[in-house]
Amino acid sequence: MIDLKAFEVWFITGSQHLYGEETLKLVAEHSQQIAKGLDGAAGTPVRVVYKPVVKTPEEIYATLQDANTTANCIGIITWMHTFSPAKMWIRGLSILQKPMLHLHTQFNRDIPWSSIDMDFMNLNQSAHGDREFGFIVSRMRKNRKVVVGHWQDPEVLGQINAWARAAAGWHDWQGAKFARIGDNMRYVAVTEGDKVEAELKFGYSVNTYGVGDLVKVIDSISDDAINELLTEYEATYTMAADLQKGGAKHQSVYDAAKIELGLKKFLEEGGFKGFTDTFEDLHGMIQLPGIAAQRLMAAGYGFAGEGDWKTAALVRAFKVMGSGLKGGNAFMEDYTYHFDPNNQLVLGSHMLEIDASLANGKAALEVHPLGIGGKADPARLVFNVAGGAALNASIVDMGNRFRLLINEVEAVEPQNDLPNLPVARVLWKPYPDMKTGCAAWIYAGGAHHTAYSQNLTAEHLQDFADIAGLEFIRIGKETKLDQLRNELRWNDASYK
Ligand code: MN
């Protein structure tokens, strides 16, 4: 679906001419081996490409300028095998626009106690060479991820991989287009936001389209195409007889399939990576897109309901960052609570639009009344979601900045059938506990809409926030409410 191997991270080693040709030859050989090792490691999601060792301000500038303009380069990894005087880096770093990871490593893991001599010391200087480099990056107030340890250490590889995934999500946002079909749900606050500022900060654009523009495309879909999709529905989902071809309620499923194909065509023709809609603006549409939104999300599109473009864009970024990992990434909403003192739970769902990539087992395609919107009964996929570690994330517009807020949660297997709730749903326990987790979320201004992930961690999102220049707040196992409230106060002061 989204192939991260199409992206490159450049491995750039800094040095200088002080050491002579022999040493520089070894620096290059070692750097090539490390780049090859990173590129070939099992979990590396992108290509890692060796670049010739940079030894002068001119070489540094040219390489970083090249990184900026190479379309599939999503970031750089820097390492100072020897000492690379960091004033040489100022001009290059000042124009660098791609994410950076500083790998504080060493070619050899161990000190060769019996053979170590001054030649070895000349070559293996990253313990101080990387500090000189680190100073100039801090002095220039540039965001980067610092990873420390031997380059074959699984923990180090994991940290690099998390950053590479975050960089891929960021890269995907640059120039991305999101369609807002209809405006914001009337009077809702948190789904609003500054779209001009978002485009400046995040690189994606959000523009509105009248629902009539979409209806025109939906009406252009052929019977043959609809029948082909209906065959796929019947092969993929559990469907009652009256919903199948020839059944009494089949028309609802037919209309839903037509909407799905129309929406897909609309998104493809416009080059969109995601969309929002709203049940308050469905003029000319027969039903609210249910299964259409569910399946388009599973295919990689970002989506959120009620005009919530920030969450739609975040869901898309999650899909890119999590590509190839086990588990799904989805639009979610905290819906209702279970306040049993011995088993406190949040039930997450939406009216219809829960991502089909979360389905645990075979989903059921069902048609039921919606209760709002005043349209025909919409078709939707109904399923449960597996237990396990997960997180919810929200981007909120605080007026003077965007905040990325996450809450780590533990999803639990459904313990009860819900025969009268025909929507997909998931149950989870927020960390550190229900009361603290929910209170912290509300103090931090988190939205009711979220991007829900089964395969991304706080580390991916911390890296993503650093790359995007976002304020990052994590509610997790160690969160104490009084400390979190202070963090929010101090952050307010730091952004003044
Ligand atoms: Mn909603």
Side-chain angles (χ1 to χ4, degrees):
M1 169 185 78
I2 297 159
D3 180 18
L4 299 185
K5 287 288 182 192
F7 297 136
E8 291 180 356
V9 162
W10 288 6
F11 189 83
I12 301 170
T13 306
S15 189
Q16 61 176 326
H17 280 294
L18 182 71
Y19 310 106
E21 279 314 301
E22 275 312 298
T23 302
L24 284 176
K25 220 179 109 192
L26 285 172
V27 169
E29 277 173 25
H30 293 170
S31 300
Q32 274 167 291
Q33 278 188 53
I34 293 177
K36 208 174 151 196
L38 299 179
D39 186 54
T44 306
V46 298
R47 303 304 309 272
V48 180
V49 176
Y50 165 81
K51 289 287 154 180
V53 176
V54 288
K55 305 165 295 291
T56 64
E58 292 74 21
E59 287 174 2
I60 292 166
Y61 185 86
T63 303
L64 299 192
Q65 191 179 41
D66 203 11
N68 282 343
T69 55
T70 300
N72 67 339
C73 171
I74 63 166
I76 64 165
I77 298 176
T78 53
W79 173 54
M80 309 301 129
H81 192 352
T82 53
F83 195 83
S84 177
K87 284 204 284 183
M88 297 200 310
W89 285 84
I90 292 174
R91 213 169 137 252
L93 288 175
S94 68
I95 57 142
L96 179 67
Q97 291 161 340
K98 298 278 168 92
M100 175 164 64
L101 181 145
H102 179 192
L103 180 58
H104 185 42
T105 191
Q106 189 165 275
F107 180 68
N108 55 297
R109 194 193 70 178
D110 301 341
I111 293 176
W113 303 107
S114 60
S115 64
I116 187 168
D117 59 11
M118 275 320 290
D119 284 348
F120 183 94
M121 297 285 269
N122 249 339
L123 181 60
N124 296 284
Q125 302 188 30
S126 57
H128 62 281
D130 272 329
R131 289 169 200 247
E132 165 76 357
F133 178 76
F135 160 71
I136 204 64
V137 184
S138 290
R139 174 73 168 74
M140 292 174 75
R141 272 73 171 175
K142 285 191 83 79
N143 282 350
R144 81 289 204 188
K145 184 177 193 178
V146 178
V147 175
V148 180
H150 190 249
W151 53 281
Q152 289 170 318
D153 175 349
E155 203 176 288
V156 166
L157 290 168
Q159 288 177 282
I160 295 171
N161 294 345
W163 169 83
R165 287 183 173 280
W170 173 251
H171 183 80
D172 183 73
W173 265 9
Q174 306 313 303
K177 290 161 49 175
F178 292 91
R180 196 177 185 195
I181 300 161
D183 201 348
N184 197 59
M185 181 179 165
R186 284 188 279 276
Y187 303 110
V188 176
V190 78
T191 50
E192 290 278 14
D194 186 338
K195 297 199 283 293
V196 174
E197 193 62 19
E199 188 161 348
L200 279 165
K201 286 265 158 47
F202 302 143
Y204 65 70
S205 64
V206 182
N207 286 292
T208 193
Y209 293 82
V211 69
D213 297 340
L214 171 62
V215 169
K216 208 160 63 181
V217 182
I218 292 171
D219 287 344
S220 76
I221 301 298
S222 73
D223 267 347
D224 286 352
I226 297 167
N227 278 313
E228 197 179 318
L229 183 57
L230 288 167
T231 305
E232 184 184 332
Y233 284 179
E234 290 188 15
T236 313
Y237 310 116
T238 305
M239 285 171 69
D242 63 344
L243 295 181
Q244 296 180 19
K245 287 178 192 169
K249 287 163 79 180
H250 175 67
Q251 188 62 38
S252 299
V253 183
Y254 181 94
D255 293 339
K258 189 172 174 178
I259 290 171
E260 177 181 336
L261 290 167
L263 249 173
K264 186 159 178 273
K265 191 171 174 207
F266 180 86
L267 296 171
E268 281 170 356
E269 284 177 350
F272 299 111
K273 288 178 173 172
F275 68 106
T276 72
D277 61 16
T278 170
F279 65 92
E280 286 178 334
D281 187 358
L282 295 172
H283 292 284
M285 291 193 66
I286 295 168
Q287 44 176 273
L288 178 68
I291 186 171
Q294 293 181 287
R295 283 169 48 91
L296 286 167
M297 277 188 278
Y301 288 99
F303 171 82
E306 293 109 40
D308 186 354
W309 51 273
K310 293 193 298 296
T311 304
L314 189 62
V315 168
R316 166 68 189 189
F318 272 35
K319 286 179 178 293
V320 175
M321 287 192 267
S323 179
L325 297 175
K326 191 172 171 288
N329 290 285
F331 168 51
M332 190 59 68
E333 178 166 317
D334 299 75
Y335 229 93
T336 204
Y337 291 146
H338 188 58
F339 272 141
D340 173 357
N342 299 316
N343 183 28
Q344 306 208 44
L345 294 166
V346 179
L347 187 149
S349 189
H350 204 256
M351 292 184 300
L352 301 171
E353 311 95 332
I354 300 302
D355 193 322
S357 68
L358 295 184
N360 192 18
K362 193 171 181 176
L365 199 169
E366 300 182 16
V367 174
H368 303 277
L370 188 59
I372 55 173
K375 291 286 167 178
D377 300 351
R380 80 290 303 271
L381 296 172
V382 180
F383 52 82
N384 287 318
V385 178
L391 60 81
N392 277 305
S394 169
I395 288 184
V396 289
D397 186 340
M398 294 299 292
N400 62 346
R401 65 187 185 275
F402 291 102
R403 165 180 289 165
L404 176 59
L405 172 67
I406 73 161
N407 187 189
E408 294 165 297
V409 305
E410 187 68 28
V412 298
E413 298 287 342
Q415 292 139 355
N416 305 86
D417 284 335
L418 309 171
N420 296 313
L421 185 71
V423 290
R425 59 266 168 164
V426 49
L427 292 163
W428 66 76
K429 293 175 186 294
Y431 282 116
D433 58 73
M434 182 84 167
K435 287 179 179 172
T436 310
C438 293
W441 187 271
I442 288 170
Y443 278 120
H448 55 285
H449 284 170
T450 57
Y452 178 85
S453 181
Q454 294 175 317
N455 55 28
L456 298 174
T457 64
E459 185 178 13
H460 292 103
L461 298 182
Q462 168 91 70
D463 291 352
F464 186 76
D466 283 344
I467 292 169
L470 276 161
E471 179 191 9
F472 181 70
I473 304 285
R474 179 173 72 93
I475 304 164
K477 282 179 189 166
E478 317 77 30
T479 295
K480 298 266 188 291
L481 200 53
D482 55 345
Q483 285 170 8
L484 183 115
R485 294 182 68 184
N486 277 332
E487 186 183 348
L488 296 174
R489 279 188 200 103
W490 296 330
N491 283 7
D492 268 336
S494 91
Y495 280 93
K496 278 243 161 63

